[in-house]
Coordinates of all heavy atoms in Angstrom, one line a residue:
M1 N -0.5 15.1 2.5 CA -1.4 14.0 2.6 C -1.9 13.6 1.2 O -2.1 12.4 1.0 CB -2.6 14.4 3.5 CG -3.5 13.3 3.8 SD -2.7 12.0 4.6 CE -3.9 11.5 5.8
V2 N -2.1 14.5 0.3 CA -2.6 14.1 -1.0 C -1.5 13.3 -1.7 O -1.8 12.3 -2.4 CB -2.9 15.4 -1.8 CG1 -3.2 15.1 -3.3 CG2 -4.1 16.1 -1.2
E3 N -0.2 13.7 -1.6 CA 0.8 12.9 -2.2 C 0.9 11.5 -1.6 O 1.2 10.5 -2.3 CB 2.2 13.6 -2.1 CG 2.7 13.8 -0.7 CD 2.2 15.1 -0.1 OE1 1.5 15.9 -0.7 OE2 2.6 15.3 1.1
T4 N 0.5 11.3 -0.4 CA 0.5 10.0 0.2 C -0.6 9.1 -0.4 O -0.3 8.0 -0.7 CB 0.3 10.1 1.8 OG1 1.3 10.9 2.3 CG2 0.2 8.8 2.4
I5 N -1.7 9.7 -0.6 CA -2.8 9.0 -1.2 C -2.5 8.6 -2.6 O -2.8 7.5 -3.1 CB -4.1 9.8 -1.1 CG1 -4.5 9.9 0.4 CG2 -5.3 9.1 -1.9 CD1 -5.7 10.8 0.7
I6 N -1.9 9.5 -3.3 CA -1.5 9.3 -4.7 C -0.5 8.2 -4.8 O -0.6 7.3 -5.6 CB -1.0 10.6 -5.4 CG1 -2.2 11.5 -5.6 CG2 -0.4 10.3 -6.7 CD1 -1.8 12.9 -6.1
A7 N 0.5 8.2 -3.9 CA 1.5 7.1 -3.9 C 0.9 5.8 -3.6 O 1.2 4.8 -4.2 CB 2.6 7.5 -2.8
G8 N -0.1 5.8 -2.6 CA -0.8 4.5 -2.3 C -1.6 4.0 -3.5 O -1.6 2.8 -3.8
L9 N -2.2 4.9 -4.3 CA -2.9 4.5 -5.5 C -2.0 3.9 -6.5 O -2.3 2.9 -7.2 CB -3.7 5.7 -6.0 CG -5.0 6.1 -5.3 CD1 -5.5 7.4 -5.8 CD2 -6.0 5.0 -5.3
I10 N -0.8 4.6 -6.7 CA 0.1 4.1 -7.7 C 0.6 2.7 -7.3 O 0.7 1.8 -8.2 CB 1.3 5.1 -7.8 CG1 0.8 6.4 -8.4 CG2 2.5 4.5 -8.5 CD1 1.8 7.5 -8.4
F11 N 1.0 2.5 -6.0 CA 1.5 1.2 -5.7 C 0.3 0.1 -5.7 O 0.6 -1.0 -5.9 CB 2.2 1.2 -4.3 CG 3.5 1.8 -4.4 CD1 3.8 3.1 -4.0 CD2 4.6 1.1 -5.0 CE1 5.0 3.7 -4.1 CE2 5.8 1.6 -5.1 CZ 6.1 2.9 -4.7
G12 N -0.9 0.6 -5.4 CA -2.0 -0.3 -5.6 C -2.2 -0.8 -7.0 O -2.5 -1.9 -7.3
M13 N -2.1 0.2 -7.9 CA -2.2 -0.1 -9.4 C -1.1 -1.1 -9.8 O -1.3 -2.0 -10.6 CB -2.2 1.1 -10.2 CG -3.5 1.9 -10.1 SD -3.5 3.3 -11.3 CE -2.5 4.5 -10.5
I14 N 0.2 -0.8 -9.3 CA 1.3 -1.7 -9.7 C 1.0 -3.1 -9.2 O 1.2 -4.1 -9.9 CB 2.6 -1.1 -9.2 CG1 3.0 0.2 -9.9 CG2 3.7 -2.2 -9.3 CD1 4.1 0.9 -9.3
A15 N 0.5 -3.2 -8.0 CA 0.1 -4.5 -7.4 C -0.9 -5.2 -8.2 O -0.9 -6.4 -8.5 CB -0.3 -4.4 -6.0
C16 N -1.9 -4.4 -8.7 CA -3.0 -5.0 -9.6 C -2.4 -5.6 -10.9 O -2.8 -6.6 -11.3 CB -4.0 -3.9 -9.9 SG -5.1 -3.5 -8.6
I17 N -1.4 -4.9 -11.4 CA -0.8 -5.3 -12.7 C -0.1 -6.6 -12.5 O -0.2 -7.6 -13.3 CB 0.1 -4.2 -13.2 CG1 -0.7 -3.0 -13.7 CG2 1.0 -4.8 -14.4 CD1 0.2 -1.8 -14.0
F18 N 0.7 -6.7 -11.4 CA 1.4 -8.0 -11.2 C 0.5 -9.1 -10.7 O 0.9 -10.3 -10.9 CB 2.5 -7.7 -10.1 CG 3.7 -6.9 -10.7 CD1 4.0 -5.7 -10.2 CD2 4.4 -7.5 -11.7 CE1 5.1 -5.0 -10.7 CE2 5.5 -6.8 -12.2 CZ 5.8 -5.5 -11.7
K19 N -0.6 -8.8 -10.1 CA -1.5 -9.9 -9.6 C -2.6 -10.2 -10.6 O -3.5 -10.9 -10.2 CB -2.1 -9.4 -8.3 CG -1.0 -9.3 -7.2 CD -1.6 -8.7 -6.0 CE -2.7 -9.6 -5.5 NZ -3.0 -9.5 -4.1
L20 N -2.6 -9.7 -11.8 CA -3.6 -9.9 -12.8 C -3.8 -11.4 -13.0 O -2.9 -12.1 -13.4 CB -3.3 -9.2 -14.1 CG -4.4 -9.0 -15.1 CD1 -5.6 -8.2 -14.5 CD2 -3.9 -8.4 -16.3
G21 N -5.0 -11.8 -12.7 CA -5.3 -13.3 -12.9 C -4.9 -14.2 -11.8 O -5.2 -15.3 -11.8
K22 N -4.3 -13.6 -10.7 CA -3.9 -14.4 -9.6 C -4.8 -14.1 -8.4 O -4.8 -13.0 -7.9 CB -2.4 -14.1 -9.2 CG -1.5 -14.4 -10.4 CD -0.1 -14.0 -9.9 CE 0.9 -14.2 -11.1 NZ 2.2 -13.8 -10.8
G23 N -5.5 -15.1 -7.9 CA -6.3 -14.9 -6.7 C -7.6 -14.2 -7.1 O -8.0 -13.9 -8.2
S24 N -8.4 -14.0 -6.0 CA -9.7 -13.4 -6.2 C -9.9 -12.0 -5.7 O -11.0 -11.5 -5.6 CB -10.7 -14.3 -5.4 OG -10.4 -14.3 -4.1
I25 N -8.8 -11.3 -5.5 CA -8.8 -10.0 -5.0 C -9.2 -9.0 -6.2 O -8.7 -9.2 -7.3 CB -7.4 -9.6 -4.4 CG1 -7.5 -8.2 -3.7 CG2 -6.3 -9.6 -5.4 CD1 -6.3 -7.9 -2.9
V26 N -10.1 -8.1 -5.9 CA -10.5 -7.1 -6.9 C -9.6 -5.9 -6.8 O -8.9 -5.6 -5.8 CB -12.0 -6.8 -6.7 CG1 -12.9 -8.0 -7.0 CG2 -12.2 -6.2 -5.4
W27 N -9.5 -5.2 -7.9 CA -8.6 -4.1 -8.0 C -8.9 -2.9 -7.0 O -8.1 -2.2 -6.6 CB -8.5 -3.5 -9.5 CG -9.8 -3.0 -10.0 CD1 -10.8 -3.7 -10.6 CD2 -10.2 -1.6 -9.9 NE1 -11.8 -2.8 -10.9 CE2 -11.5 -1.6 -10.6 CE3 -9.7 -0.5 -9.5 CZ2 -12.2 -0.4 -10.7 CZ3 -10.4 0.7 -9.6 CH2 -11.6 0.8 -10.2
V28 N -10.2 -2.8 -6.7 CA -10.6 -1.7 -5.8 C -10.0 -2.0 -4.4 O -9.5 -1.1 -3.7 CB -12.1 -1.6 -5.7 CG1 -12.6 -0.6 -4.7 CG2 -12.7 -1.2 -7.1
V29 N -10.1 -3.2 -4.0 CA -9.5 -3.6 -2.7 C -8.0 -3.4 -2.7 O -7.4 -2.9 -1.7 CB -9.9 -5.1 -2.4 CG1 -9.2 -5.5 -1.1 CG2 -11.4 -5.3 -2.3
T30 N -7.3 -3.8 -3.8 CA -5.9 -3.6 -3.9 C -5.5 -2.1 -3.8 O -4.6 -1.7 -3.1 CB -5.3 -4.2 -5.2 OG1 -5.8 -5.5 -5.3 CG2 -3.8 -4.1 -5.2
L31 N -6.3 -1.2 -4.5 CA -6.0 0.2 -4.4 C -6.2 0.7 -3.0 O -5.5 1.5 -2.4 CB -6.9 1.0 -5.4 CG -6.6 0.7 -6.8 CD1 -7.7 1.5 -7.7 CD2 -5.2 1.2 -7.2
G32 N -7.3 0.3 -2.3 CA -7.6 0.7 -1.0 C -6.5 0.2 0.0 O -6.1 1.0 0.9
V33 N -6.1 -1.0 -0.1 CA -5.0 -1.5 0.8 C -3.7 -0.7 0.5 O -3.0 -0.3 1.5 CB -4.8 -3.0 0.6 CG1 -3.5 -3.5 1.3 CG2 -6.0 -3.8 1.0
G34 N -3.4 -0.3 -0.7 CA -2.3 0.5 -1.0 C -2.3 1.9 -0.4 O -1.4 2.4 0.2
V35 N -3.5 2.5 -0.4 CA -3.7 3.8 0.2 C -3.6 3.7 1.7 O -2.9 4.6 2.3 CB -5.1 4.4 -0.3 CG1 -5.4 5.7 0.5 CG2 -5.0 4.7 -1.7
I36 N -4.2 2.7 2.3 CA -4.2 2.6 3.8 C -2.7 2.4 4.2 O -2.3 3.0 5.2 CB -5.1 1.5 4.2 CG1 -6.6 1.9 4.0 CG2 -4.9 1.2 5.7 CD1 -7.6 0.8 4.2
G37 N -2.0 1.5 3.5 CA -0.6 1.3 3.8 C 0.2 2.5 3.7 O 1.1 2.8 4.5
A38 N 0.0 3.3 2.7 CA 0.8 4.5 2.5 C 0.5 5.5 3.6 O 1.4 6.2 4.1 CB 0.4 5.1 1.1
V39 N -0.8 5.7 4.0 CA -1.1 6.6 5.1 C -0.5 6.1 6.4 O 0.1 6.9 7.1 CB -2.7 6.7 5.2 CG1 -3.1 7.4 6.4 CG2 -3.2 7.4 3.9
L40 N -0.5 4.8 6.6 CA 0.1 4.3 7.9 C 1.6 4.5 7.9 O 2.2 4.9 8.9 CB -0.2 2.8 8.0 CG -1.6 2.5 8.4 CD1 -1.8 1.0 8.4 CD2 -2.0 3.1 9.7
G41 N 2.2 4.3 6.7 CA 3.7 4.6 6.6 C 4.0 6.1 6.8 O 5.0 6.4 7.4
N42 N 3.1 7.0 6.3 CA 3.4 8.4 6.4 C 3.2 8.8 7.9 O 4.0 9.6 8.4 CB 2.4 9.2 5.6 CG 2.8 10.6 5.5 OD1 3.9 11.0 5.6 ND2 1.8 11.5 5.2
F43 N 2.2 8.3 8.6 CA 2.0 8.5 10.0 C 3.2 8.0 10.8 O 3.6 8.7 11.8 CB 0.7 8.0 10.5 CG -0.5 8.8 10.1 CD1 -1.7 8.1 9.7 CD2 -0.5 10.1 10.1 CE1 -2.8 8.8 9.4 CE2 -1.6 10.9 9.8 CZ -2.8 10.2 9.4
T44 N 3.7 6.9 10.4 CA 4.9 6.3 11.1 C 6.1 7.3 11.0 O 6.8 7.5 11.9 CB 5.3 4.9 10.6 OG1 4.1 4.1 10.7 CG2 6.4 4.4 11.3
A45 N 6.3 7.8 9.8 CA 7.4 8.7 9.5 C 7.2 10.0 10.4 O 8.2 10.5 11.0 CB 7.5 9.1 8.1
N46 N 6.0 10.5 10.4 CA 5.8 11.7 11.2 C 6.0 11.4 12.7 O 6.5 12.3 13.4 CB 4.3 12.2 11.0 CG 4.2 12.8 9.6 OD1 5.1 13.2 9.0 ND2 3.0 12.8 9.1
Y47 N 5.6 10.2 13.2 CA 5.7 9.9 14.6 C 7.2 9.8 14.9 O 7.6 10.2 16.0 CB 5.0 8.5 14.9 CG 5.2 8.1 16.3 CD1 4.5 8.7 17.3 CD2 6.1 7.0 16.6 CE1 4.7 8.2 18.6 CE2 6.2 6.6 17.9 CZ 5.5 7.2 18.9 OH 5.7 6.8 20.2
L48 N 8.0 9.3 14.0 CA 9.4 9.2 14.3 C 10.2 10.5 14.1 O 11.4 10.6 14.3 CB 10.1 8.1 13.3 CG 9.6 6.7 13.6 CD1 10.2 5.7 12.5 CD2 10.0 6.2 15.0
G49 N 9.5 11.5 13.6 CA 10.1 12.8 13.4 C 10.9 13.0 12.2 O 11.8 13.8 12.1
L50 N 10.7 12.2 11.2 CA 11.5 12.2 10.0 C 10.9 13.3 9.0 O 9.7 13.4 8.9 CB 11.5 10.9 9.3 CG 12.1 9.7 10.1 CD1 12.0 8.4 9.4 CD2 13.6 10.0 10.4
A51 N 11.7 14.0 8.3 CA 11.3 15.1 7.5 C 10.6 14.5 6.2 O 9.6 15.0 5.8 CB 12.5 15.9 7.1
S52 N 11.2 13.5 5.6 CA 10.6 13.0 4.4 C 9.9 11.6 4.7 O 10.6 10.7 5.1 CB 11.7 12.8 3.3 OG 11.1 12.1 2.2
G53 N 8.6 11.6 4.5 CA 7.9 10.4 4.7 C 7.7 9.5 3.5 O 7.0 8.5 3.5
L54 N 8.3 9.9 2.3 CA 8.0 9.2 1.1 C 8.5 7.8 1.2 O 7.8 6.9 0.8 CB 8.7 9.9 -0.1 CG 8.5 9.3 -1.4 CD1 7.0 9.3 -1.8 CD2 9.2 10.0 -2.5
M55 N 9.7 7.6 1.8 CA 10.2 6.2 1.9 C 9.3 5.4 2.8 O 9.0 4.2 2.4 CB 11.6 6.2 2.5 CG 12.2 4.8 2.6 SD 13.9 4.9 3.3 CE 13.6 5.3 5.0
F56 N 8.8 5.9 3.9 CA 7.9 5.2 4.7 C 6.5 5.0 4.1 O 5.8 4.0 4.3 CB 7.7 5.9 6.1 CG 8.8 5.6 7.0 CD1 10.0 6.4 7.0 CD2 8.8 4.5 7.9 CE1 11.0 6.1 7.9 CE2 9.8 4.2 8.8 CZ 10.9 5.1 8.8
T57 N 6.1 5.9 3.2 CA 4.9 5.8 2.5 C 5.0 4.6 1.5 O 4.1 3.7 1.5 CB 4.6 7.1 1.6 OG1 4.4 8.2 2.5 CG2 3.4 6.9 0.8
V58 N 6.1 4.5 0.8 CA 6.3 3.3 -0.1 C 6.4 2.0 0.7 O 5.7 1.0 0.3 CB 7.6 3.6 -0.9 CG1 7.9 2.3 -1.7 CG2 7.4 4.8 -1.8
I59 N 7.1 2.0 1.8 CA 7.3 0.8 2.6 C 6.0 0.4 3.2 O 5.6 -0.8 3.2 CB 8.4 1.0 3.6 CG1 9.7 1.1 3.0 CG2 8.4 -0.1 4.6 CD1 10.9 1.5 3.9
G60 N 5.2 1.3 3.7 CA 3.9 1.0 4.3 C 3.0 0.4 3.3 O 2.3 -0.6 3.6
A61 N 2.9 1.0 2.1 CA 2.0 0.5 1.1 C 2.4 -0.9 0.7 O 1.5 -1.8 0.6 CB 2.0 1.4 -0.1
L62 N 3.7 -1.2 0.5 CA 4.1 -2.5 0.0 C 4.0 -3.5 1.1 O 3.6 -4.7 0.8 CB 5.6 -2.4 -0.4 CG 5.8 -1.6 -1.7 CD1 7.3 -1.5 -2.0 CD2 5.1 -2.2 -2.9
V63 N 4.3 -3.2 2.4 CA 4.1 -4.1 3.5 C 2.6 -4.5 3.6 O 2.3 -5.7 3.8 CB 4.7 -3.6 4.8 CG1 4.3 -4.4 6.0 CG2 6.2 -3.5 4.7
L64 N 1.8 -3.5 3.6 CA 0.3 -3.9 3.8 C -0.2 -4.7 2.6 O -1.0 -5.6 2.8 CB -0.5 -2.6 4.0 CG -1.8 -2.8 4.7 CD1 -1.6 -3.4 6.1 CD2 -2.5 -1.5 4.9
L65 N 0.2 -4.4 1.4 CA -0.2 -5.2 0.3 C 0.3 -6.6 0.4 O -0.4 -7.5 0.1 CB 0.3 -4.5 -1.0 CG -0.5 -3.3 -1.5 CD1 0.3 -2.6 -2.6 CD2 -1.9 -3.7 -2.0
F66 N 1.5 -6.8 0.8 CA 2.1 -8.1 1.0 C 1.3 -8.9 2.1 O 0.9 -10.0 1.9 CB 3.5 -8.0 1.4 CG 4.1 -9.4 1.7 CD1 4.4 -10.3 0.8 CD2 4.4 -9.7 3.1 CE1 4.9 -11.5 1.1 CE2 4.9 -10.9 3.4 CZ 5.2 -11.9 2.4
L67 N 1.0 -8.2 3.2 CA 0.3 -8.8 4.3 C -1.1 -9.2 3.9 O -1.6 -10.3 4.2 CB 0.3 -7.9 5.5 CG 1.6 -7.8 6.3 CD1 1.4 -6.8 7.4 CD2 2.0 -9.2 6.9
H68 N -1.8 -8.3 3.2 CA -3.1 -8.7 2.7 C -3.1 -9.9 1.8 O -3.9 -10.8 1.9 CB -3.7 -7.5 1.9 CG -5.0 -7.7 1.4 ND1 -5.3 -8.3 0.2 CD2 -6.3 -7.6 2.0 CE1 -6.5 -8.4 0.0 NE2 -7.2 -8.0 1.1
D69 N -2.1 -9.9 0.9 CA -2.0 -11.1 0.0 C -1.7 -12.3 0.7 O -2.2 -13.4 0.5 CB -1.0 -10.8 -1.1 CG -1.0 -11.8 -2.2 OD1 -2.1 -12.2 -2.6 OD2 0.1 -12.1 -2.7
F70 N -0.8 -12.2 1.7 CA -0.3 -13.4 2.4 C -1.4 -13.9 3.4 O -1.6 -15.2 3.5 CB 1.0 -13.1 3.2 CG 1.6 -14.2 3.9 CD1 2.2 -15.2 3.2 CD2 1.5 -14.3 5.3 CE1 2.8 -16.3 3.9 CE2 2.1 -15.4 6.0 CZ 2.7 -16.4 5.3
L71 N -2.1 -13.1 4.1 CA -3.0 -13.5 5.1 C -4.4 -13.7 4.6 O -5.1 -14.6 5.2 CB -3.0 -12.5 6.2 CG -1.7 -12.3 7.0 CD1 -1.8 -11.1 8.0 CD2 -1.3 -13.5 7.7
L72 N -4.9 -13.0 3.7 CA -6.3 -13.0 3.3 C -6.6 -13.7 2.0 O -7.7 -14.2 1.8 CB -6.9 -11.6 3.3 CG -6.9 -10.9 4.6 CD1 -7.4 -9.5 4.5 CD2 -7.6 -11.6 5.7
V73 N -5.7 -13.8 1.1 CA -6.0 -14.4 -0.2 C -5.6 -15.8 -0.2 O -4.5 -16.1 0.3 CB -5.3 -13.6 -1.3 CG1 -5.5 -14.3 -2.6 CG2 -5.8 -12.2 -1.4
E74 N -6.4 -16.7 -0.6 CA -6.1 -18.1 -0.6 C -5.1 -18.5 -1.6 O -5.1 -18.1 -2.7 CB -7.4 -18.9 -0.8 CG -8.4 -18.6 0.2 CD -9.8 -19.3 -0.1 OE1 -10.2 -19.3 -1.3 OE2 -10.4 -19.8 0.9

């Protein structure tokens, strides 16, 4: 679980770097969305019975960050 949170923080930081100056989203929200997406991706991998949830952790974080940017940021 700790590695999932760390992966979410890393992808949240990467998203902050690419979104610097674009939109009104603050970095704390981006990190939080990255962590939540990573946790959801990890739970999805566990639900599907997959041994390695790292791929789903990455996909979950990126998908949730994309959805947040697409749906909530003007």
Side-chain angles (χ1 to χ4, degrees):
M1 186 61 140
V2 173
E3 61 272 358
T4 301
I5 294 171
I6 291 172
L9 287 173
I10 290 170
F11 285 103
M13 285 188 284
I14 291 170
C16 284
I17 291 169
F18 286 116
K19 295 173 62 157
L20 193 61
K22 299 177 185 175
S24 61
I25 187 171
V26 295
W27 63 273
V28 175
V29 175
T30 306
L31 293 177
V33 170
V35 170
I36 292 169
V39 170
L40 290 175
N42 192 25
F43 283 139
T44 303
N46 289 337
Y47 178 75
L48 295 175
L50 300 173
S52 175
L54 182 62
M55 182 177 71
F56 279 90
T57 298
V58 171
I59 291 171
L62 293 177
V63 166
L64 201 58
L65 283 166
F66 172 76
L67 286 175
H68 179 270
D69 190 39
F70 184 72
L71 297 175
L72 298 178
V73 176
E74 300 175 319

